[in-house]
Amino acid sequence: MSLSIDIAGLRPERVAVVPSPLAELGMALHALSEPGHHPGLQGWVTGVTARLDSHLADRMCEADFLWRTTFSDIFLPYAGIPGGSTLPGATLAEELDLLDKLTDEQFVDSALEFTCAPGYDVPSPSVLADPVLRRRALDLAATRGPRQVRFTQRLIDEPPRVRAWLRQFLEDCDEAFFADVWARVRLPLATDARYKTDLLRRKGLAEALASVSSAVTLDEEAARITVDKLVQGRSATGDGGLLLVPTSLGWPHLMVLHRYGWQPVLHYPVGSPELASPPSVEQLALRMTALSHPVRMRICRLLARSAYTTTELARVHGVTAPEISRHLAVLKKAGLITTRRRGRYVLHQLDVTVVARLGSDYLEGMLR
């Protein structure tokens, strides 16, 4: 599974790397709502939560589906401006002005993207114009509690009122805690943006994308960017551009805005503890499958303690050497065992470091 962005005809000058204060505020709200996703931010979350005004905290819960379990496209409004060339603003106020430029249909659809839009990356009707989508949005909101139902109903019935409410809420968040955050992260994000812009100019898009994440690759011949995620989707730059937006608070999330008709955006973490070569989603699946077989689990138990030959493993398990060889081939393909030769013997041993990392690798893959 992966996300792909068709960049056929994309001119180099239409690729931009720009920090976004509104996107960073969205990540701050997400971290406050889901601190378990961001263990490195626990101290900051505790500090902000302790001094947060109770009224603001209640309002934060009122619409938290915009940033808690998903990351709504309303935090990247420049991507929805016609023309596909609008850049993020330098200040939060500028980006809130861009948010105000979205139509009511764009605003509501992007706010409810994961609850009511089955055709996110294909042409589809607006929830405001489709009674079936409206009903579905309310039904799904009901699974998250009465507060979410009330907010969703207001969003559908009175978009201008909710938009004004949201703008005021985001401005209050800026005053309460985000202005300090942005003052701290603005320069590192700008530095990262300059570095990747320089890579774009000197070495091209492939090198710049490789510096974003090893999960992002470019097939220059096919003119396609592929992002290794547990999501299936597609997008295209068309006559517009491509935006790379860095975030200081976002790890381990690597977001891809691929809404139909919007400018594609890669929202990527900087300064993250990402491993030099994190496994792909396919490699993770191979490893989980390899370890799920009871015979291979027993083989791994032995190989975790010492190195064994195929013949020794066959003798211990009471099966034939060819059968053991088939199991070892699966484990080796998944990158779970190492093999070395000692004289005429071939010894196999479990790569304990790889297995120990599986839990964190798996979680990173889920949250990527």
Side-chain angles (χ1 to χ4, degrees), residues 88-104:
T91 66
L92 181 64
E94 289 178 21
E95 295 206 319
L96 292 176
D97 289 343
L98 291 175
L99 180 59
D100 288 343
K101 290 184 178 181
L102 296 182
T103 66
D104 285 347

Side-chain angles (χ1 to χ4, degrees), residues 22-43:
L22 181 56
E24 198 69 356
L25 174 52
M27 288 309 314
L29 290 168
H30 170 70
L32 289 169
S33 300
E34 286 287 355
H37 289 192
H38 306 273
L41 298 177
Q42 291 285 358

Side-chain angles (χ1 to χ4, degrees), residues 143-158:
T143 65
R144 304 186 183 190
R147 176 176 284 184
Q148 301 304 322
V149 174
R150 289 195 296 271
F151 187 87
T152 302
Q153 188 70 67
R154 285 172 50 211
L155 180 63
I156 293 171
D157 292 343
E158 303 176 282

Side-chain angles (χ1 to χ4, degrees), residues 198-265:
D198 186 53
L199 273 181
L200 275 168
R201 291 171 180 163
R202 291 187 299 107
K203 297 187 176 181
L205 182 57
E207 288 286 338
L209 292 176
S211 72
V212 164
S213 170
S214 58
V216 184
T217 56
L218 171 64
D219 183 335
E220 296 189 81
E221 185 176 342
R224 181 179 297 109
I225 296 170
T226 300
V227 185
D228 187 45
K229 286 172 65 75
L230 275 171
V231 178
Q232 194 75 33
R234 63 186 186 276
S235 183
T237 53
D239 295 329
L242 173 69
L243 278 175
L244 308 181
V245 176
T247 168
S248 180
L249 305 178
W251 189 87
H253 306 302
L254 173 62
M255 309 291 189
V256 184
L257 191 162
H258 59 290
R259 175 180 292 279
Y260 179 81
W262 287 42
Q263 183 180 12
V265 180

Side-chain angles (χ1 to χ4, degrees), residues 1-311:
M1 302 181 80
S2 61
L3 288 168
S4 65
I5 303 173
D6 184 342
I7 60 168
L10 177 65
R11 301 195 304 273
E13 65 271 18
R14 299 300 297 272
V15 182
V17 190
V18 189
S20 166
L22 181 56
E24 198 69 356
L25 174 52
M27 288 309 314
L29 290 168
H30 170 70
L32 289 169
S33 300
E34 286 287 355
H37 289 192
H38 306 273
L41 298 177
Q42 291 285 358
W44 174 78
V45 169
T46 300
V48 171
T49 303
R51 65 176 185 270
L52 201 62
D53 174 79
S54 59
H55 180 55
L56 184 60
D58 285 343
R59 291 156 67 201
M60 192 177 295
C61 294
E62 189 170 349
D64 70 352
F65 68 84
L66 297 177
W67 50 77
R68 188 185 188 98
T69 55
T70 62
F71 186 76
S72 171
D73 291 344
I74 63 172
F75 291 103
L76 305 165
Y78 28 85
I81 305 298
S85 60
T86 303
L87 299 179
T91 66
L92 181 64
E94 289 178 21
E95 295 206 319
L96 292 176
D97 289 343
L98 291 175
L99 180 59
D100 288 343
K101 290 184 178 181
L102 296 182
T103 66
D104 285 347
E105 289 77 11
Q106 285 180 303
F107 181 86
V108 173
D109 290 346
S110 59
L112 297 175
E113 61 192 55
F114 290 99
T115 59
C116 67
Y120 178 81
D121 56 3
V122 297
S124 58
S126 168
V127 65
L128 293 181
D130 191 316
V132 174
L133 289 181
R134 286 203 301 273
R135 184 69 261 161
R136 184 171 184 268
L138 292 168
D139 288 344
L140 291 175
T143 65
R144 304 186 183 190
R147 176 176 284 184
Q148 301 304 322
V149 174
R150 289 195 296 271
F151 187 87
T152 302
Q153 188 70 67
R154 285 172 50 211
L155 180 63
I156 293 171
D157 292 343
E158 303 176 282
R161 184 178 176 185
V162 172
R163 296 179 71 161
W165 177 93
L166 181 65
R167 175 160 186 150
Q168 185 62 58
F169 167 74
L170 295 175
E171 290 172 343
D172 291 346
C173 286
D174 185 45
E175 182 178 348
F177 63 87
F178 183 67
D180 292 338
V181 173
W182 186 245
R184 175 170 53 84
V185 305
R186 179 172 56 85
L187 289 180
L189 292 180
T191 300
D192 182 82
R194 284 195 298 271
Y195 168 70
K196 288 184 172 55
T197 299
D198 186 53
L199 273 181
L200 275 168
R201 291 171 180 163
R202 291 187 299 107
K203 297 187 176 181
L205 182 57
E207 288 286 338
L209 292 176
S211 72
V212 164
S213 170
S214 58
V216 184
T217 56
L218 171 64
D219 183 335
E220 296 189 81
E221 185 176 342
R224 181 179 297 109
I225 296 170
T226 300
V227 185
D228 187 45
K229 286 172 65 75
L230 275 171
V231 178
Q232 194 75 33
R234 63 186 186 276
S235 183
T237 53
D239 295 329
L242 173 69
L243 278 175
L244 308 181
V245 176
T247 168
S248 180
L249 305 178
W251 189 87
H253 306 302
L254 173 62
M255 309 291 189
V256 184
L257 191 162
H258 59 290
R259 175 180 292 279
Y260 179 81
W262 287 42
Q263 183 180 12
V265 180
L266 285 174
H267 189 213
Y268 65 93
V270 300
S272 69
E274 182 179 272
L275 299 170
S277 299
S280 66
V281 170
E282 180 183 5
Q283 188 77 350
L284 275 173
L286 278 175
R287 290 175 181 176
M288 303 295 282
T289 301
L291 290 173
S292 66
H293 194 285
V295 173
R296 291 195 285 272
M297 290 176 69
R298 291 196 296 272
I299 291 173
C300 287
R301 180 177 182 274
L302 289 175
L303 297 184
R305 290 163 169 77
S306 182
Y308 285 82
T309 66
T310 302
T311 302

